[in-house]
């Protein structure tokens, strides 16, 4: 099972050093871009939390896929719900980022998920079809199913609900692109619910936010997935 840590914008330099000094497992960690160099050359792989939809050029504050790849980054998260919400990212922009990422040999972690009152299947189908337009390389693509109402709330759906949604995601991709994909779950995953969540049949791993900043919990989660 894959474990991906989305460290978001949680950590100071001191906290980053503590994490790096105490944790070296075979996972994928996505720190703030400013800290990426500290995370390189460990057992874990490194991802960024977002990339620009542009190549190199006059885009203040942005990080391109080429720059990330040059430095030794292997993955990028794209379309996280916080970016969709606070940066008004559209599926069309997300699509451009995915294409740039794949062109530069980054592996893509595409986040999809519904708000509480959404028509879940309609929203997710649209997120997938629009974000994956003209994409043909599905072997470097991972989907993270993250219901927005579960992110940072301490709430998780039931295993049955997650399993049904994962199977909907897989069927949608098979039907429209003729490909199969790995699907992760994300949203309030912690050391206590991991033993329940890991029983989901069609699941390939987890995207973990807040808890991934806590190396003790992260170690427990990794150990529990090994059992
Ligand atoms: P959380 O976040 O684990 O803190 O709920 C998950 C995510 O946003 O990727």
């Amino acid at each position: 099972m894959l474990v991906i840590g989305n460290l978001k914008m949680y950590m100071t330099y001191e906290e980053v050093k503590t994490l790096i000094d105490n944790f070296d497992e075979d996972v994928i960690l996505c720190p703030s871009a400013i800290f990426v160099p500290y995370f390189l050359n460990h057992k874990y792989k490194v991802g960024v939390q977002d990339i620009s939809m542009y190549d190199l050029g006059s885009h203040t504050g942005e990080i391109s896929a080429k720059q990330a790849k040059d430095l030794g980054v292997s993955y990028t998260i794209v379309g996280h719900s916080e970016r969709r919400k606070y940066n008004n990212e559209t599926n069309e922009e997300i699509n451009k980022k995915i294409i740039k990422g794949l062109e530069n040999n980054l592996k893509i972690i595409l986040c999809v998920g519904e708000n509480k009152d959404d028509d879940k299947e309609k929203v997710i189908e649209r997120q997938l079809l629009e974000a994956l337009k003209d994409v043909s390389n599905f072997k470097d693509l991972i989907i993270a199913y993250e219901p927005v109402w579960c992110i940072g709330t301490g709430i998780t759906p039931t295993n049955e609900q997650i399993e049904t949604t994962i199977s909907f995601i897989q069927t949608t991709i098979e039907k429209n692109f003729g490909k199969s994909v790995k699907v992760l779950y994300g949203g309030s995953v912690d050391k206590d619910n991991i033993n329940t969540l890991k029983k989901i049949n069609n699941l390939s791993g987890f995207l973990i936010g807040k808890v991934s900043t806590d190396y003790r919990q992260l170690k427990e989660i990794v150990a529990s997935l090994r059992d």
Side-chain angles (χ1 to χ4, degrees), residues 64-118:
S64 76
K66 185 176 170 54
Q67 291 174 320
K69 186 68 193 178
D70 273 358
L71 196 60
V73 166
S74 329
Y75 288 81
T76 182
I77 298 173
V78 174
H80 191 279
S81 64
E82 285 150 15
R83 295 205 58 84
R84 292 178 190 262
K85 182 173 171 197
Y86 301 119
N87 300 74
N88 298 316
E89 265 189 24
T90 64
N91 289 324
E92 201 188 1
E93 288 165 344
I94 292 164
N95 173 250
K96 290 183 181 155
K97 293 180 178 196
I98 293 174
I99 289 172
K100 277 285 165 263
L102 290 172
E103 271 173 19
N104 286 281
N105 300 313
L106 291 178
K107 293 192 190 339
I108 307 292
I109 304 150
L110 167 64
C111 300
V112 298
E114 80 287 359
N115 283 294
K116 190 76 198 158
D117 297 325
D118 284 344

Short mmCIF file of all heavy atoms in Angstrom, two decimals, residues 64-118:
data_model
loop_
_atom_site.label_atom_id
_atom_site.label_comp_id
_atom_site.label_asym_id
_atom_site.label_seq_id
_atom_site.Cartn_x
_atom_site.Cartn_y
_atom_site.Cartn_z
N SER A 64 7.78 25.17 -11.64
CA SER A 64 7.42 24.38 -12.82
C SER A 64 7.77 22.91 -12.61
O SER A 64 8.61 22.55 -11.78
CB SER A 64 8.14 24.91 -14.06
OG SER A 64 9.50 24.52 -14.03
N ALA A 65 7.11 22.09 -13.41
CA ALA A 65 7.38 20.64 -13.37
C ALA A 65 8.85 20.37 -13.70
O ALA A 65 9.47 19.51 -13.09
CB ALA A 65 6.47 19.94 -14.37
N LYS A 66 9.38 21.14 -14.62
CA LYS A 66 10.78 20.94 -15.03
C LYS A 66 11.72 21.23 -13.85
O LYS A 66 12.67 20.49 -13.60
CB LYS A 66 11.09 21.86 -16.21
CG LYS A 66 12.48 21.66 -16.78
CD LYS A 66 12.67 22.54 -18.01
CE LYS A 66 14.10 22.57 -18.49
NZ LYS A 66 14.67 21.24 -18.74
N GLN A 67 11.44 22.32 -13.12
CA GLN A 67 12.29 22.66 -11.97
C GLN A 67 12.21 21.56 -10.91
O GLN A 67 13.23 21.16 -10.33
CB GLN A 67 11.81 23.98 -11.35
CG GLN A 67 12.07 25.20 -12.22
CD GLN A 67 11.45 26.45 -11.63
OE1 GLN A 67 10.33 26.42 -11.11
NE2 GLN A 67 12.17 27.55 -11.70
N ALA A 68 11.00 21.08 -10.66
CA ALA A 68 10.84 20.04 -9.64
C ALA A 68 11.61 18.78 -10.05
O ALA A 68 12.35 18.21 -9.25
CB ALA A 68 9.35 19.73 -9.46
N LYS A 69 11.44 18.39 -11.29
CA LYS A 69 12.10 17.17 -11.77
C LYS A 69 13.63 17.33 -11.72
O LYS A 69 14.34 16.43 -11.27
CB LYS A 69 11.64 16.89 -13.21
CG LYS A 69 12.14 15.58 -13.76
CD LYS A 69 11.51 14.41 -13.04
CE LYS A 69 12.22 13.12 -13.36
NZ LYS A 69 11.65 11.97 -12.65
N ASP A 70 14.12 18.49 -12.14
CA ASP A 70 15.57 18.77 -12.11
C ASP A 70 16.16 18.57 -10.72
O ASP A 70 17.29 18.12 -10.55
CB ASP A 70 15.84 20.24 -12.48
CG ASP A 70 15.96 20.45 -13.97
OD1 ASP A 70 15.88 19.44 -14.71
OD2 ASP A 70 16.13 21.60 -14.38
N LEU A 71 15.40 18.95 -9.71
CA LEU A 71 15.90 18.90 -8.34
C LEU A 71 15.88 17.48 -7.77
O LEU A 71 16.56 17.19 -6.79
CB LEU A 71 15.03 19.82 -7.47
CG LEU A 71 15.55 20.23 -6.11
CD1 LEU A 71 16.86 20.99 -6.25
CD2 LEU A 71 14.53 21.12 -5.41
N GLY A 72 15.08 16.60 -8.36
CA GLY A 72 15.02 15.22 -7.85
C GLY A 72 13.67 14.85 -7.28
O GLY A 72 13.51 13.82 -6.62
N VAL A 73 12.67 15.70 -7.54
CA VAL A 73 11.30 15.41 -7.11
C VAL A 73 10.70 14.36 -8.05
O VAL A 73 10.93 14.40 -9.25
CB VAL A 73 10.48 16.72 -7.14
CG1 VAL A 73 8.99 16.46 -7.02
CG2 VAL A 73 10.96 17.66 -6.03
N SER A 74 9.94 13.42 -7.49
CA SER A 74 9.36 12.37 -8.33
C SER A 74 7.86 12.49 -8.54
O SER A 74 7.32 11.93 -9.49
CB SER A 74 9.59 10.98 -7.71
OG SER A 74 10.77 10.92 -6.99
N TYR A 75 7.18 13.17 -7.63
CA TYR A 75 5.71 13.21 -7.68
C TYR A 75 5.21 14.65 -7.58
O TYR A 75 5.90 15.51 -7.03
CB TYR A 75 5.11 12.48 -6.47
CG TYR A 75 5.25 10.98 -6.51
CD1 TYR A 75 6.45 10.36 -6.14
CD2 TYR A 75 4.19 10.18 -6.92
CE1 TYR A 75 6.59 8.98 -6.18
CE2 TYR A 75 4.31 8.80 -6.95
CZ TYR A 75 5.51 8.20 -6.57
OH TYR A 75 5.63 6.84 -6.62
N THR A 76 3.99 14.88 -8.03
CA THR A 76 3.31 16.12 -7.67
C THR A 76 1.83 15.84 -7.40
O THR A 76 1.20 15.04 -8.10
CB THR A 76 3.43 17.22 -8.75
OG1 THR A 76 2.76 18.41 -8.27
CG2 THR A 76 2.81 16.83 -10.07
N ILE A 77 1.34 16.46 -6.34
CA ILE A 77 -0.10 16.47 -6.11
C ILE A 77 -0.68 17.51 -7.07
O ILE A 77 -0.05 18.53 -7.33
CB ILE A 77 -0.41 16.89 -4.65
CG1 ILE A 77 0.19 15.87 -3.66
CG2 ILE A 77 -1.91 17.05 -4.43
CD1 ILE A 77 0.07 16.30 -2.19
N VAL A 78 -1.85 17.23 -7.59
CA VAL A 78 -2.52 18.20 -8.47
C VAL A 78 -4.01 18.20 -8.12
O VAL A 78 -4.59 17.14 -7.87
CB VAL A 78 -2.31 17.81 -9.96
CG1 VAL A 78 -3.13 18.71 -10.86
CG2 VAL A 78 -0.85 17.89 -10.35
N GLY A 79 -4.60 19.39 -8.08
CA GLY A 79 -6.05 19.47 -7.89
C GLY A 79 -6.51 19.22 -6.48
O GLY A 79 -7.66 18.79 -6.25
N HIS A 80 -5.65 19.48 -5.50
CA HIS A 80 -6.10 19.31 -4.11
C HIS A 80 -7.29 20.23 -3.84
O HIS A 80 -7.34 21.35 -4.36
CB HIS A 80 -4.95 19.62 -3.15
CG HIS A 80 -5.29 19.22 -1.75
ND1 HIS A 80 -6.06 20.01 -0.93
CD2 HIS A 80 -5.02 18.09 -1.04
CE1 HIS A 80 -6.23 19.38 0.23
NE2 HIS A 80 -5.60 18.21 0.19
N SER A 81 -8.21 19.79 -3.02
CA SER A 81 -9.44 20.57 -2.81
C SER A 81 -9.16 21.94 -2.21
O SER A 81 -9.92 22.89 -2.43
CB SER A 81 -10.43 19.80 -1.93
OG SER A 81 -9.88 19.63 -0.65
N GLU A 82 -8.05 22.05 -1.45
CA GLU A 82 -7.73 23.38 -0.89
C GLU A 82 -7.31 24.35 -2.00
O GLU A 82 -7.59 25.54 -1.93
CB GLU A 82 -6.64 23.24 0.19
CG GLU A 82 -7.24 22.66 1.47
CD GLU A 82 -6.29 21.84 2.31
OE1 GLU A 82 -5.07 21.90 2.12
OE2 GLU A 82 -6.80 21.10 3.19
N ARG A 83 -6.66 23.83 -3.02
CA ARG A 83 -6.29 24.70 -4.15
C ARG A 83 -7.52 25.00 -5.02
O ARG A 83 -7.67 26.09 -5.54
CB ARG A 83 -5.18 24.06 -4.98
CG ARG A 83 -3.88 23.92 -4.19
CD ARG A 83 -2.68 23.87 -5.08
NE ARG A 83 -2.60 25.06 -5.89
CZ ARG A 83 -2.05 26.22 -5.50
NH1 ARG A 83 -1.52 26.34 -4.31
NH2 ARG A 83 -2.03 27.24 -6.32
N ARG A 84 -8.38 24.02 -5.14
CA ARG A 84 -9.62 24.28 -5.90
C ARG A 84 -10.42 25.37 -5.19
O ARG A 84 -10.97 26.27 -5.81
CB ARG A 84 -10.48 23.01 -5.98
CG ARG A 84 -9.87 21.89 -6.84
CD ARG A 84 -10.78 20.66 -6.81
NE ARG A 84 -10.20 19.48 -7.38
CZ ARG A 84 -10.41 19.05 -8.63
NH1 ARG A 84 -11.20 19.72 -9.44
NH2 ARG A 84 -9.84 17.93 -9.05
N LYS A 85 -10.43 25.31 -3.84
CA LYS A 85 -11.25 26.26 -3.08
C LYS A 85 -10.58 27.63 -2.92
O LYS A 85 -11.17 28.65 -3.25
CB LYS A 85 -11.51 25.66 -1.69
CG LYS A 85 -12.38 26.52 -0.82
CD LYS A 85 -12.74 25.79 0.46
CE LYS A 85 -13.43 26.74 1.43
NZ LYS A 85 -13.45 26.22 2.78
N TYR A 86 -9.34 27.65 -2.43
CA TYR A 86 -8.72 28.94 -2.09
C TYR A 86 -8.02 29.60 -3.29
O TYR A 86 -7.74 30.79 -3.27
CB TYR A 86 -7.70 28.77 -0.95
CG TYR A 86 -8.32 28.22 0.30
CD1 TYR A 86 -7.90 27.01 0.84
CD2 TYR A 86 -9.36 28.92 0.94
CE1 TYR A 86 -8.48 26.50 1.99
CE2 TYR A 86 -9.95 28.40 2.10
CZ TYR A 86 -9.50 27.20 2.61
OH TYR A 86 -10.08 26.69 3.74
N ASN A 87 -7.69 28.82 -4.31
CA ASN A 87 -7.02 29.40 -5.48
C ASN A 87 -7.90 29.31 -6.72
O ASN A 87 -7.42 29.55 -7.83
CB ASN A 87 -5.68 28.69 -5.74
CG ASN A 87 -4.75 28.81 -4.54
OD1 ASN A 87 -4.95 28.16 -3.53
ND2 ASN A 87 -3.75 29.66 -4.64
N ASN A 88 -9.15 28.94 -6.47
CA ASN A 88 -10.12 28.83 -7.58
C ASN A 88 -9.62 28.02 -8.77
O ASN A 88 -9.87 28.38 -9.92
CB ASN A 88 -10.54 30.23 -8.07
CG ASN A 88 -11.21 31.00 -6.96
OD1 ASN A 88 -12.04 30.45 -6.24
ND2 ASN A 88 -10.84 32.26 -6.79
N GLU A 89 -8.89 26.97 -8.49
CA GLU A 89 -8.38 26.17 -9.60
C GLU A 89 -9.51 25.43 -10.31
O GLU A 89 -10.36 24.84 -9.67
CB GLU A 89 -7.39 25.12 -9.06
CG GLU A 89 -5.98 25.59 -9.14
CD GLU A 89 -4.99 24.51 -8.81
OE1 GLU A 89 -5.31 23.31 -8.96
OE2 GLU A 89 -3.90 24.86 -8.38
N THR A 90 -9.45 25.48 -11.62
CA THR A 90 -10.48 24.81 -12.42
C THR A 90 -9.96 23.47 -12.93
O THR A 90 -8.74 23.24 -12.98
CB THR A 90 -10.86 25.67 -13.63
OG1 THR A 90 -9.69 25.77 -14.48
CG2 THR A 90 -11.32 27.06 -13.21
N ASN A 91 -10.88 22.63 -13.36
CA ASN A 91 -10.48 21.34 -13.94
C ASN A 91 -9.60 21.54 -15.18
O ASN A 91 -8.71 20.76 -15.45
CB ASN A 91 -11.71 20.51 -14.30
CG ASN A 91 -12.42 20.00 -13.07
OD1 ASN A 91 -11.80 19.65 -12.07
ND2 ASN A 91 -13.75 19.97 -13.14
N GLU A 92 -9.89 22.62 -15.90
CA GLU A 92 -9.12 22.91 -17.11
C GLU A 92 -7.65 23.23 -16.75
O GLU A 92 -6.73 22.76 -17.42
CB GLU A 92 -9.77 24.10 -17.81
CG GLU A 92 -9.42 24.19 -19.25
CD GLU A 92 -9.93 25.49 -19.87
OE1 GLU A 92 -10.53 26.33 -19.16
OE2 GLU A 92 -9.68 25.66 -21.06
N GLU A 93 -7.47 24.02 -15.70
CA GLU A 93 -6.09 24.34 -15.27
C GLU A 93 -5.40 23.07 -14.74
O GLU A 93 -4.22 22.84 -14.99
CB GLU A 93 -6.11 25.41 -14.18
CG GLU A 93 -6.47 26.78 -14.70
CD GLU A 93 -6.85 27.77 -13.60
OE1 GLU A 93 -7.13 27.35 -12.45
OE2 GLU A 93 -6.89 28.97 -13.90
N ILE A 94 -6.16 22.30 -14.00
CA ILE A 94 -5.62 21.06 -13.45
C ILE A 94 -5.16 20.14 -14.59
O ILE A 94 -4.10 19.52 -14.53
CB ILE A 94 -6.66 20.39 -12.53
CG1 ILE A 94 -6.86 21.27 -11.28
CG2 ILE A 94 -6.28 18.96 -12.15
CD1 ILE A 94 -8.10 20.97 -10.48
N ASN A 95 -5.95 20.10 -15.65
CA ASN A 95 -5.60 19.31 -16.82
C ASN A 95 -4.26 19.76 -17.41
O ASN A 95 -3.39 18.94 -17.74
CB ASN A 95 -6.73 19.44 -17.86
CG ASN A 95 -6.39 18.80 -19.18
OD1 ASN A 95 -6.18 19.48 -20.19
ND2 ASN A 95 -6.32 17.49 -19.20
N LYS A 96 -4.06 21.08 -17.49
CA LYS A 96 -2.80 21.60 -18.05
C LYS A 96 -1.63 21.21 -17.15
O LYS A 96 -0.54 20.89 -17.62
CB LYS A 96 -2.86 23.12 -18.19
CG LYS A 96 -3.81 23.55 -19.29
CD LYS A 96 -3.80 25.05 -19.47
CE LYS A 96 -4.78 25.45 -20.57
NZ LYS A 96 -5.26 26.81 -20.44
N LYS A 97 -1.85 21.25 -15.84
CA LYS A 97 -0.79 20.88 -14.90
C LYS A 97 -0.43 19.40 -15.04
O LYS A 97 0.74 19.01 -15.00
CB LYS A 97 -1.23 21.18 -13.47
CG LYS A 97 -1.37 22.66 -13.20
CD LYS A 97 -1.81 22.93 -11.78
CE LYS A 97 -1.87 24.45 -11.56
NZ LYS A 97 -1.90 24.80 -10.16
N ILE A 98 -1.45 18.58 -15.19
CA ILE A 98 -1.20 17.13 -15.33
C ILE A 98 -0.36 16.88 -16.58
O ILE A 98 0.62 16.13 -16.55
CB ILE A 98 -2.53 16.35 -15.39
CG1 ILE A 98 -3.25 16.44 -14.05
CG2 ILE A 98 -2.30 14.89 -15.80
CD1 ILE A 98 -4.63 15.83 -14.01
N ILE A 99 -0.73 17.54 -17.66
CA ILE A 99 0.00 17.33 -18.91
C ILE A 99 1.46 17.81 -18.76
O ILE A 99 2.39 17.10 -19.15
CB ILE A 99 -0.75 17.99 -20.09
CG1 ILE A 99 -2.01 17.13 -20.35
CG2 ILE A 99 0.12 18.10 -21.34
CD1 ILE A 99 -2.98 17.67 -21.33
N LYS A 100 1.66 18.95 -18.15
CA LYS A 100 3.03 19.45 -17.91
C LYS A 100 3.82 18.48 -17.02
O LYS A 100 4.99 18.20 -17.26
CB LYS A 100 3.02 20.81 -17.21
CG LYS A 100 2.82 21.98 -18.12
CD LYS A 100 4.07 22.31 -18.91
CE LYS A 100 3.75 23.22 -20.07
NZ LYS A 100 3.55 22.59 -21.36
N GLY A 101 3.19 18.02 -15.98
CA GLY A 101 3.85 17.09 -15.05
C GLY A 101 4.28 15.82 -15.77
O GLY A 101 5.43 15.38 -15.64
N LEU A 102 3.38 15.25 -16.55
CA LEU A 102 3.69 14.00 -17.25
C LEU A 102 4.79 14.22 -18.29
O LEU A 102 5.69 13.40 -18.44
CB LEU A 102 2.43 13.41 -17.89
CG LEU A 102 1.39 12.86 -16.91
CD1 LEU A 102 0.10 12.50 -17.63
CD2 LEU A 102 1.93 11.65 -16.13
N GLU A 103 4.72 15.35 -18.99
CA GLU A 103 5.77 15.68 -19.99
C GLU A 103 7.15 15.72 -19.34
O GLU A 103 8.16 15.44 -19.96
CB GLU A 103 5.51 17.08 -20.57
CG GLU A 103 4.62 17.10 -21.79
CD GLU A 103 4.28 18.55 -22.20
OE1 GLU A 103 4.99 19.51 -21.78
OE2 GLU A 103 3.30 18.70 -22.91
N ASN A 104 7.18 16.11 -18.09
CA ASN A 104 8.46 16.23 -17.37
C ASN A 104 8.76 15.04 -16.47
O ASN A 104 9.58 15.12 -15.55
CB ASN A 104 8.47 17.53 -16.56
CG ASN A 104 8.64 18.74 -17.45
OD1 ASN A 104 9.74 19.05 -17.88
ND2 ASN A 104 7.54 19.40 -17.78
N ASN A 105 8.05 13.94 -16.75
CA ASN A 105 8.30 12.68 -16.04
C ASN A 105 8.06 12.72 -14.54
O ASN A 105 8.74 12.03 -13.78
CB ASN A 105 9.72 12.16 -16.32
CG ASN A 105 9.92 11.91 -17.78
OD1 ASN A 105 9.06 11.29 -18.42
ND2 ASN A 105 11.01 12.41 -18.34
N LEU A 106 7.11 13.54 -14.12
CA LEU A 106 6.68 13.47 -12.72
C LEU A 106 5.49 12.51 -12.65
O LEU A 106 4.71 12.41 -13.60
CB LEU A 106 6.21 14.85 -12.23
CG LEU A 106 7.26 15.93 -12.04
CD1 LEU A 106 6.59 17.22 -11.61
CD2 LEU A 106 8.31 15.51 -11.02
N LYS A 107 5.36 11.82 -11.54
CA LYS A 107 4.16 11.02 -11.31
C LYS A 107 3.10 11.93 -10.69
O LYS A 107 3.41 12.76 -9.84
CB LYS A 107 4.47 9.85 -10.38
CG LYS A 107 5.40 8.83 -11.00
CD LYS A 107 5.42 7.59 -10.15
CE LYS A 107 6.48 6.56 -10.49
NZ LYS A 107 7.09 6.56 -11.79
N ILE A 108 1.87 11.75 -11.14
CA ILE A 108 0.80 12.67 -10.76
C ILE A 108 -0.13 12.03 -9.73
O ILE A 108 -0.56 10.90 -9.90
CB ILE A 108 -0.07 13.02 -12.00
CG1 ILE A 108 0.80 13.53 -13.16
CG2 ILE A 108 -1.19 13.99 -11.65
CD1 ILE A 108 1.45 14.85 -12.95
N ILE A 109 -0.40 12.80 -8.68
CA ILE A 109 -1.43 12.38 -7.70
C ILE A 109 -2.59 13.35 -7.88
O ILE A 109 -2.53 14.50 -7.45
CB ILE A 109 -0.87 12.49 -6.26
CG1 ILE A 109 0.41 11.66 -6.11
CG2 ILE A 109 -1.94 12.05 -5.24
CD1 ILE A 109 1.37 12.23 -5.07
N LEU A 110 -3.61 12.91 -8.58
CA LEU A 110 -4.76 13.78 -8.86
C LEU A 110 -5.83 13.60 -7.77
O LEU A 110 -6.32 12.49 -7.56
CB LEU A 110 -5.37 13.44 -10.23
CG LEU A 110 -6.75 14.05 -10.52
CD1 LEU A 110 -6.70 15.58 -10.57
CD2 LEU A 110 -7.32 13.50 -11.84
N CYS A 111 -6.14 14.70 -7.08
CA CYS A 111 -7.16 14.63 -6.02
C CYS A 111 -8.54 14.93 -6.60
O CYS A 111 -8.71 15.92 -7.32
CB CYS A 111 -6.86 15.66 -4.94
SG CYS A 111 -5.27 15.42 -4.15
N VAL A 112 -9.49 14.10 -6.26
CA VAL A 112 -10.88 14.36 -6.60
C VAL A 112 -11.73 14.12 -5.35
O VAL A 112 -11.30 13.42 -4.43
CB VAL A 112 -11.39 13.44 -7.75
CG1 VAL A 112 -10.61 13.68 -9.03
CG2 VAL A 112 -11.33 11.95 -7.36
N GLY A 113 -12.91 14.71 -5.33
CA GLY A 113 -13.78 14.47 -4.17
C GLY A 113 -14.89 15.50 -4.11
O GLY A 113 -14.75 16.60 -4.64
N GLU A 114 -15.96 15.11 -3.46
CA GLU A 114 -17.18 15.93 -3.44
C GLU A 114 -17.32 16.70 -2.14
O GLU A 114 -16.80 16.29 -1.10
CB GLU A 114 -18.40 15.01 -3.65
CG GLU A 114 -18.88 14.25 -2.41
CD GLU A 114 -17.98 13.11 -1.96
OE1 GLU A 114 -16.95 12.85 -2.60
OE2 GLU A 114 -18.30 12.45 -0.93
N ASN A 115 -18.05 17.81 -2.20
CA ASN A 115 -18.50 18.49 -0.98
C ASN A 115 -19.72 17.75 -0.46
O ASN A 115 -20.37 16.99 -1.18
CB ASN A 115 -18.87 19.95 -1.29
CG ASN A 115 -17.62 20.81 -1.43
OD1 ASN A 115 -16.89 21.02 -0.47
ND2 ASN A 115 -17.36 21.27 -2.65
N LYS A 116 -20.03 18.03 0.79
CA LYS A 116 -21.10 17.29 1.47
C LYS A 116 -22.43 17.25 0.66
O LYS A 116 -23.06 16.21 0.55
CB LYS A 116 -21.34 17.94 2.85
CG LYS A 116 -22.25 17.15 3.75
CD LYS A 116 -21.55 15.95 4.36
CE LYS A 116 -22.54 14.93 4.90
NZ LYS A 116 -22.00 13.59 5.01
N ASP A 117 -22.82 18.39 0.10
CA ASP A 117 -24.14 18.42 -0.54
C ASP A 117 -24.10 18.17 -2.05
O ASP A 117 -25.11 18.31 -2.72
CB ASP A 117 -24.82 19.77 -0.25
CG ASP A 117 -25.06 19.94 1.24
OD1 ASP A 117 -25.35 18.93 1.92
OD2 ASP A 117 -24.91 21.07 1.75
N ASP A 118 -22.94 17.84 -2.56
CA ASP A 118 -22.82 17.61 -4.00
C ASP A 118 -23.47 16.30 -4.42
O ASP A 118 -23.58 15.36 -3.62
CB ASP A 118 -21.33 17.51 -4.40
CG ASP A 118 -20.66 18.87 -4.43
OD1 ASP A 118 -21.37 19.89 -4.44
OD2 ASP A 118 -19.41 18.90 -4.44
#
